[in-house]
Amino acid sequence: MATSPPIAVPALAHSPRRWWALAALTLSVLIIGLDGTIITVALPTLATELGADSAQLQWVSGGYLLALSVAMLPIGLLGDRYGHKRLLVGGITLFGAASLAGVLASTTAQVVAVRAVLGLAAAMIMPLSMAILPRIFGKEELPKAIATWTAATALGMPVGPVVGGWLLSHFWWGSVFLFNLPVVVVALIAGVWLLPSDRTRDGLDRKGEHRTAPFDLLGTVLSALGITALVYGTILVPEDGWGSPTVPATVVGGLVLLAVFVRHQRSAAHPLVDLRLFADRRFLWGTLLAVFVNFAVMGILFVVPQYLQGVLGNDALGTGLRILPLIGGLMLAAALSEGLVPRFGARTVIAAGLALLAAGSLLGATSGSGDGYGFAALWLSLTGFGFGSAMVPATSLVMGSLPAERSGQGTSLLETVQQVGGVLGVAGLGSLLSAGYLARLSVSGLPDGAADAARDSVTGADAVAVRLHDPRLLSSAHDAFTHGMSLVLIACGAISLVAVVLAVIFLPGAGTATAGTEETGTAKAARKAGAAHETATVPDATGEVAAPAPEHGQSMA
């Protein structure tokens, strides 16, 4: 029986330097979260300063999402072939160059192009930074590292509006891009200095077999076209609505292309995505449950800032600060989950986290327009705690199931389906919010222009009510938006409860470690047949110790 190539033990597993390396990785993903939300605060300013219309503003965000979603799958494969650190450093560098171009941009078209390049850079940073974690930490510390990495990705969401609001209050709109540059420089220096080298990755890389395999160009084209159509269709939803023939046609076309892509991957000799990963139930259900969580949380993060700003009357800075209880709950759960999973098992902890996420969402659904921020802080904290309790162990399950030589592909696949799920969640739940808002809003007696502005958004209704001194419209708009938000939160709670059932039925039990120690059927058969053998551990040319590689699907952590 052919032997598997040796897998290197994490180079920094026993070095204090590993925590500094983790800081470098978290800094690289933190800036992505910051940039993504800072730009949303800047959209009204861009409309004023550059004369951008609503369609152009839509593509400032949409171009980023498209580039991010399309590029992650091929980036993961390239990272496995040519080195995770090498491409990660390239992504950080590209992010900095695009941010500098954003500072110098003078037209809306240039800003859209800059945002697309930033999305490409983010696609290089997100999955590859996650793929490097098992090369730094052993299986005992990997959940803690994943928890820290996850918290960093989420922290940028509320902090971005805080930073963006402050920058726009004191400087010109280009400062939202300029802010990225010093963070990029620090992340770049830290990444080059602290992250382990790609030279000693694994046996396949040393032999050169990975690098010379044909690249799946057809799979890349099919996935790019399918994801582009799917994401583009959802981007059109806020402007055109689901009733437009373009939206369902584009979405269905994207799904058909993705089905063709999956069929091609099954037969390709060197596929873009290794679908055998889904044979491991840790990867399959860890990924699906992470998508459920992301779907719900992105829906919550879509409605909550509008509620805090439009109904409770906070500015962008105050809104960002008031979302922090959600991040606080997430970070607390991330710290506690490391000790809970070994004791109770991933299935129990993830199911409990999903139940708490559902409870927080359903509690928020009881909000009234007259409730103060204290009640919102309560259910946001509960939601964040449930988010962290479910997401961190689920991600650890996925990471523990990945073969080291396919870690880039696996993390890219995880991030891609999460990203697409989040986009679909915002589109679908955004439509539900709009329907609930319009169903309760009363604009009788208003001039046509004022009525249209009130229907567009709760902030538009607030502006009309102030201008016309109409307290009745103000009350109606706040009640209508709170009703729409309640519908969204009920949907998020229902989605989370469905995920609880799936977690209880399909996730591994308490005997399986989160980092992935479950023995595969192949390994069991080999052991029973007496075919399993040990490979002596010897130092390689760099002094790293190589350990025997498990069969496909076993943990490499």
Side-chain angles (χ1 to χ4, degrees):
M1 185 174 69
T3 59
S4 299
I7 304 299
V9 169
L12 305 180
H14 304 292
S15 170
R17 182 180 164 191
R18 67 192 185 279
W19 300 111
W20 290 105
L22 176 62
L25 292 176
T26 54
L27 187 62
S28 67
V29 294
L30 175 61
I31 192 173
I32 295 175
L34 287 171
D35 177 77
T37 50
I38 282 177
I39 198 67
T40 60
V41 177
L43 290 179
T45 306
L46 290 175
T48 302
E49 298 292 332
L50 300 180
D53 57 28
S54 59
Q56 290 173 319
L57 292 177
Q58 193 173 10
W59 279 107
V60 171
S61 299
Y64 178 91
L65 287 175
L66 276 177
L68 175 63
S69 303
V70 167
M72 274 198 283
L73 287 181
I75 288 296
L77 178 59
L78 293 174
D80 287 339
R81 290 191 178 187
Y82 300 107
H84 298 151
K85 177 181 178 179
R86 187 172 293 111
L87 266 71
L88 174 62
V89 168
I92 297 173
T93 303
L94 182 61
F95 201 95
S99 298
L100 179 60
V103 174
L104 302 175
S106 58
T107 67
T108 306
Q110 291 173 352
V111 174
V112 171
V114 165
R115 290 287 294 164
V117 178
L118 285 171
L120 174 60
M124 299 173 69
I125 294 171
M126 288 290 288
L128 297 181
S129 61
M130 183 187 289
I132 290 175
L133 291 176
R135 295 176 50 205
I136 300 174
F137 294 92
K139 66 181 182 181
E140 296 84 3
E141 292 181 325
L142 185 58
K144 180 188 291 185
I146 291 173
T148 304
W149 187 94
T150 303
T153 61
L155 184 60
M157 297 176 185
V159 174
V162 174
V163 175
W166 184 84
L167 288 173
L168 293 172
S169 298
H170 295 82
F171 306 100
W172 93 115
W173 65 267
S175 61
V176 298
F177 291 107
L178 185 63
F179 171 78
N180 294 339
L181 294 178
V183 186
V184 164
V185 171
V186 175
L188 188 60
I189 294 173
V192 171
W193 179 40
L194 295 170
L195 298 180
S197 171
D198 292 317
R199 290 194 303 271
T200 59
R201 282 190 21 74
D202 55 64
L204 286 177
D205 276 350
R206 282 193 287 269
K207 294 178 183 179
E209 295 173 11
H210 245 147
R211 301 186 180 188
T212 58
F215 188 79
D216 185 10
L217 182 60
L218 177 58
T220 300
V221 172
L222 287 172
S223 68
L225 291 176
I227 292 174
T228 297
L230 189 61
V231 174
Y232 176 71
T234 58
I235 290 173
L236 293 177
V237 170
E239 192 74 23
D240 298 347
W242 290 101
S244 168
T246 305
V247 172
T250 307
V251 170
V252 171
L255 293 174
V256 170
L257 285 169
L258 290 177
V260 175
F261 165 72
V262 171
R263 183 172 182 179
H264 167 70
Q265 294 302 286
R266 292 182 180 275
S267 59
H270 300 282
L272 182 67
V273 174
D274 189 354
L275 296 180
R276 294 175 300 171
L277 293 171
F278 287 106
D280 189 316
R281 63 175 176 161
R282 292 168 298 163
F283 183 88
L284 172 62
W285 292 106
T287 298
L288 289 179
L289 291 173
V291 171
F292 272 79
V293 171
N294 205 48
F295 185 99
V297 170
M298 290 303 292
I300 292 169
L301 288 172
F302 177 72
V303 299
V304 167
Q306 297 181 67
Y307 170 72
L308 293 174
Q309 194 161 355
V311 177
L312 298 189
N314 299 290
D315 59 13
L317 178 63
T319 296
L321 290 173
R322 284 166 176 77
I323 300 177
L324 290 179
L326 186 145
I327 304 303
L330 164 63
M331 298 182 74
L332 178 61
L336 294 177
S337 64
E338 180 193 7
L340 294 176
V341 170
R343 184 174 180 181
F344 299 104
R347 177 170 60 191
T348 301
V349 175
I350 292 175
L354 290 166
L356 289 173
L357 177 58
S361 301
L362 295 176
L363 183 62
T366 66
S367 299
S369 59
D371 291 336
Y373 172 69
F375 183 64
L378 172 64
W379 63 264
L380 282 173
S381 300
L382 185 59
T383 299
F385 191 85
F387 173 36
S389 300
M391 181 61 84
V392 173
T395 305
S396 296
L397 272 181
V398 173
M399 293 297 294
S401 71
L402 295 177
E405 73 276 7
R406 296 287 185 270
S407 60
Q409 288 188 64
T411 53
S412 291
L413 183 57
L414 171 65
E415 290 292 333
T416 299
V417 295
Q418 281 190 359
Q419 181 66 36
V420 173
V423 171
L424 293 176
V426 170
L429 296 174
S431 298
L432 182 61
L433 172 67
S434 178
Y437 174 69
L438 293 176
R440 292 287 183 93
L441 180 66
S442 174
V443 293
S444 59
L446 291 179
D448 289 343
D452 290 340
R455 291 190 188 98
D456 281 343
S457 66
V458 65
T459 53
D462 282 353
V464 171
V466 170
R467 187 173 74 249
L468 299 179
H469 305 287
D470 188 347
R472 180 188 59 82
L473 174 61
L474 190 68
S475 176
S476 174
H478 289 183
D479 288 341
F481 183 88
T482 305
H483 170 67
M485 183 182 75
S486 296
L487 296 179
V488 170
L489 293 176
I490 289 172
C492 292
I495 291 166
S496 301
L497 290 176
V498 170
V500 170
V501 175
L502 295 176
V504 171
I505 295 174
F506 294 108
L507 282 182
T512 303
T514 310
T517 58
E518 186 178 88
E519 189 176 29
T520 63
T522 303
K524 290 178 181 177
R527 175 173 49 78
K528 291 179 180 178
H533 61 280
E534 296 184 0
T535 302
T537 58
V538 294
D540 64 12
T542 66
E544 283 191 359
V545 177
E551 298 291 338
H552 177 81
Q554 283 185 281
S555 171
M556 297 294 150

